[in-house]
Amino acid sequence: MDAKVFDKSRLPSRHVTEGPSRAPHRSYYYAMGLTREQIHQPFVGVATCWNEAAPCNISLARQAQAVKKGVAAGSGTPREFTTITVTDGIAMGHQGMKASLVSREVIADSVELTMRGHCYDALVGLAGCDKSLPGMMMAMVRLNVPSIFIYGGSILPGSFRGREVTVQDLFEAVGMYSVGRMSGEDLDELEQVACPSAGACGAQFTANTMATVSEAIGLALPYSAGAPAPYEIRDRFCMAAGEKIMELIARNIRPRDIVTREALENAATVVAASGGSTNAGLHLPAIAHECGIKFDLFDVAEIFKRTPYIADLKPGGRYVAKDMFEAGGIPLLMKTLLDNGFLHGDCMTVTGRTIAENLAQVRWNPDQDVVRPANDPITPTGGVVGLRGNLASEGAIVKVAGMSTLRFSGPARCFDSEEACFDAVANRRYQEGEVLVIRYEGPKGGPGMREMLSTTAALYGQGMGDKVALITDGRFSGATRGFCVGHVAPEAAVGGAIGLLRDGDVITIDAVAGTIEVALSDAELAERRAVWQPRETAIRSGAIWKYAQIVGSARDGAVTHPGGYGETVTYADQ
């Protein structure tokens, strides 16, 4: 953009930079080297989830510098700050996973508080790992200042003896090792090559699923979410986002102009079409909640039911995010969905143009097989299915992308924690044909709604992925495959039916009909509920305890405050 003068009389930063009474406030900015001109320009928060916890976030600090250059080029003043992340790949399989979903709320809250406390006028948010993506988008629509989301990019695939591998292969290798199908030497070699670069997990796990959402929902620039972290083009996207945010300020285009009911439907559509993570069924309702839009798990499931599965991506398919980017990126996926009537083309985006306008020049690439045309899908319905029945009156969710068995019935084998189930799996104390039940792992009961990748991957590595089913009131990683049902609600901790199950109860899951039932009458369930007692958890204080006191049902996104429904005014208008 050309240099321009912005009217700060309606921008939040006027509270800290304008008028004689703000001389003390301005003195702090002079102390940091800002000029008079910079102090009186719009302030743009550049929020990153940079840390040294995992490769997902390690490149975000570099990318933030490119954003800041773009903001400065557009006559804005960037103010960089960081927030936390909890990286699921490292938190997985132990008590650390209790912190994962809680971190989504902390990320959104901490970005909100930094923006409010310093009166920033706009937000460019950079995120790299699973919960940081929805957390950052939740903050954007909560604050409702002009905002652009930037994904830090995916990791490159590793190479193990001539074949491409991801961290999913490593989790499954643990199961192979446990039954003697892989040697310790091979496992050691695989772990050293599976993750060869910076970036988030490379397949259509939760991070790449929510990155795909960021473009489809309109909060990210086209193509920006697909480029792998090591690619230099990422800096160009970041620079462009910094320049574009200044245009959004000038035009007063805000997140809630972009994130509408139709945009949320577009987001759910790309999740289903790409065989994305079941966690989108948790995060999309949470983003909607921030806007005051009702869009719960059942609304998401309805979109999944009518959307074709067209992107051949791992864990159910053959390719990773890098491959889709090089085939034509997320816009290629969206273009065929739009052309075949599956997307709302009139939704506004951060480009200042609609989805249809953004995609007008996108041409189909016939020389690739990563994405199929929407009228010639891999399967006619989406890669993720919502379930409902007497075992989950508030819903459950299962990822069916790449699965051949869509119905399963068998006796329950109940476990009151992930550790208990993993121990049984690791030591083969289960039978083919059983439905393994992991309960008391929901938002309240965990607390924190842990993911179960260690257990599900071990089952798959043992060759039992299609020979048993697993259900839980917790979550599954986007890398999970096999007949695994998550988000069962009401959860066990509040007296849900999953907490009333006993070993041997026959459970039937039908991903075609969308049902999950236990062969018990209403009277039998009521009789068990009458003698059921709440289960105590070991966490009695701190952030996870606090979360457990206020978190709601997974059906509505496991949210912790009234959201847009409770607002009288947004931060942007104060």
Side-chain angles (χ1 to χ4, degrees), residues 212 270 273-274 310-311 324 329-338 371:
T212 307
V270 301
S274 64
I310 60 174
M324 187 160 78
I330 295 164
L332 182 75
L333 174 73
M334 292 175 63
K335 176 68 169 178
T336 186
L337 290 168
L338 178 68
V371 179

Side-chain angles (χ1 to χ4, degrees), residues 526-547:
E527 183 180 335
R528 292 187 186 185
R529 187 170 285 111
V531 297
W532 172 84
Q533 293 292 323
R535 180 173 172 269
E536 294 288 344
T537 72
I539 295 179
R540 305 295 180 87
S541 66
I544 296 173
W545 174 88
K546 183 163 56 177
Y547 174 86

Side-chain angles (χ1 to χ4, degrees), residues 205-374:
F205 308 155
T206 303
N208 279 323
T209 296
M210 295 310 296
T212 307
V213 161
S214 72
E215 285 195 33
I217 210 168
L219 289 173
L221 295 176
Y223 296 99
S224 66
Y231 284 19
E232 290 302 317
I233 197 173
R234 292 227 54 82
D235 287 359
R236 289 161 57 189
F237 286 126
C238 292
M239 177 83 177
E243 293 178 312
K244 182 60 69 172
I245 196 70
M246 301 311 299
E247 182 180 323
L248 297 185
I249 295 172
R251 296 177 60 185
N252 196 30
I253 296 175
R254 303 183 183 185
R256 295 192 195 181
D257 301 322
I258 294 168
V259 181
T260 61
R261 168 76 189 213
E262 290 74 21
L264 288 157
E265 291 179 357
N266 285 347
T269 298
V270 301
V271 172
S274 64
S277 169
T278 54
N279 283 309
L282 195 70
H283 300 322
L284 289 176
I287 293 169
H289 178 80
E290 298 289 352
C291 303
I293 298 172
K294 182 192 175 298
F295 193 70
D296 65 17
L297 176 63
F298 294 124
D299 296 307
V300 175
E302 280 301 309
I303 306 296
F304 290 167
K305 193 184 300 183
R306 63 175 186 250
T307 303
Y309 167 43
I310 60 174
D312 195 6
L313 299 171
K314 290 177 180 286
R318 295 176 292 165
Y319 295 107
V320 294
K322 173 188 76 72
D323 300 317
M324 187 160 78
F325 177 69
E326 292 171 354
I330 295 164
L332 182 75
L333 174 73
M334 292 175 63
K335 176 68 169 178
T336 186
L337 290 168
L338 178 68
D339 288 348
N340 287 276
F342 293 102
L343 290 183
H344 301 285
D346 56 353
C347 292
M348 177 61 67
T349 75
V350 292
T351 65
R353 300 186 298 272
T354 65
I355 291 285
E357 290 169 336
N358 287 345
L359 299 177
Q361 300 304 312
V362 175
R363 296 290 177 263
W364 181 253
N365 176 5
D367 300 318
Q368 57 83 37
D369 61 353
V370 181
V371 179
R372 297 270 289 272

Side-chain angles (χ1 to χ4, degrees), residues 135-158:
M136 194 66 72
M137 287 185 263
M138 288 162 65
M140 289 173 175
V141 292
R142 181 187 301 180
L143 293 162
N144 204 32
V145 292
S147 301
I148 295 178
F149 177 85
I150 296 174
Y151 180 41
S154 65
I155 199 169
L156 297 176

